[in-house]
Amino acid sequence: MNGLEVPKWRRPKYAALTQPLLSQLNWDMAPVVTPDDQLGLDHNLDPACYHDDAFDLYAANQPLLTRFPGLVAPAPDADVRPNLLEWVVRAPAAKKVIRNWEERAIVMANAFLVVAPGRIPQRRIQQIIASCEQAPEWPEISRIRATDEHVLNQRIFLWNPETQRYENRIITAYTFKYPPRPYNVLVLQETAPRN
């Protein structure tokens, strides 16, 4: 993909084209968060969660739920999970707790629209879009294409209810390699040392 000059953050869309071949592999993917994974999430002092390519939550730690009021942890056997993108786009609190809300919402919407197709059932994608369309900002957010500069800037300015100040945090996202899981990891890492 280097030869095609495809931006790195858009490469998962192209990789999704190989998904039919990969789905033939017999991975034993856990349909729910494993106890060991939950333990790792709960021990993280930074806000963190596990989500899929549509931003459906598999699990969230208490620091994340405290920082994102109104977002709830999913039930382990839920048919429809809470969705982080829907919360960012629709929850009135999102614009208050994320100082750079518009930039983060645009990047999330782009990631969803590029990565989810081919990896997430189309019915679920349509449900999320229908929900997000209830926000007046959605047409603009979903129309604007995030630049590489936007995507590579992983800063989020997140409100801390304890200190009553915004904190400069780094968004870190990654996937489990072996064994693969149906969820990715998202951590909002603190940039300053803890006191």
Side-chain angles (χ1 to χ4, degrees):
M1 291 196 205
N2 286 335
L4 298 175
E5 298 183 10
V6 175
K8 287 183 181 179
W9 69 277
R10 290 193 178 168
R11 291 179 184 181
K13 171 68 172 176
Y14 297 99
L17 298 174
T18 63
Q19 195 62 33
L21 177 62
L22 295 175
S23 66
Q24 294 174 18
L25 297 173
N26 190 17
W27 295 109
D28 186 19
M29 292 177 61
V32 296
V33 174
T34 66
D36 289 343
D37 286 352
Q38 185 65 53
L39 184 65
L41 186 66
D42 290 339
H43 280 131
N44 198 324
L45 299 177
D46 290 312
C49 66
Y50 299 141
H51 66 79
D52 66 14
D53 292 325
F55 293 106
D56 280 340
L57 290 179
Y58 276 69
N61 68 5
Q62 194 56 50
L64 184 103
L65 297 174
T66 299
R67 298 298 181 89
F68 292 176
L71 187 65
V72 295
D77 57 351
D79 288 331
V80 177
R81 298 172 180 280
N83 186 277
L84 189 57
L85 175 63
E86 288 180 54
W87 184 89
V88 167
V89 171
R90 295 192 55 205
K95 291 179 185 174
K96 296 175 184 172
V97 300
I98 303 171
R99 190 170 71 193
N100 56 337
W101 175 85
E102 184 175 6
E103 180 182 11
R104 298 296 7 135
I106 289 168
V107 171
M108 283 185 73
N110 273 226
F112 168 75
L113 294 169
V114 169
V115 177
R119 295 181 174 198
I120 300 296
Q122 189 60 32
R123 179 178 48 81
R124 180 60 182 140
I125 291 171
Q126 292 305 318
Q127 289 172 340
I128 294 166
I129 290 172
S131 175
C132 289
E133 284 176 337
Q134 296 178 34
E137 299 89 351
W138 179 253
E140 185 73 7
I141 289 169
S142 62
R143 182 187 62 77
I144 296 173
R145 292 297 160 244
T147 65
D148 286 348
E149 182 180 334
H150 287 131
V151 173
L152 296 174
N153 177 8
Q154 292 297 302
R155 302 275 179 187
I156 185 168
F157 299 99
L158 193 60
W159 182 253
N160 184 334
E162 291 179 13
T163 63
Q164 297 290 299
R165 295 183 331 186
Y166 284 99
E167 295 173 337
N168 181 357
R169 290 181 170 265
I170 302 293
I171 299 169
T172 303
Y174 57 93
T175 60
F176 290 99
K177 190 166 184 177
Y178 298 112
R181 274 70 151 192
Y183 44 87
N184 306 309
V185 182
L186 177 71
V187 181
L188 307 178
Q189 293 181 321
E190 191 172 23
T191 58
R194 287 186 169 84
N195 294 333

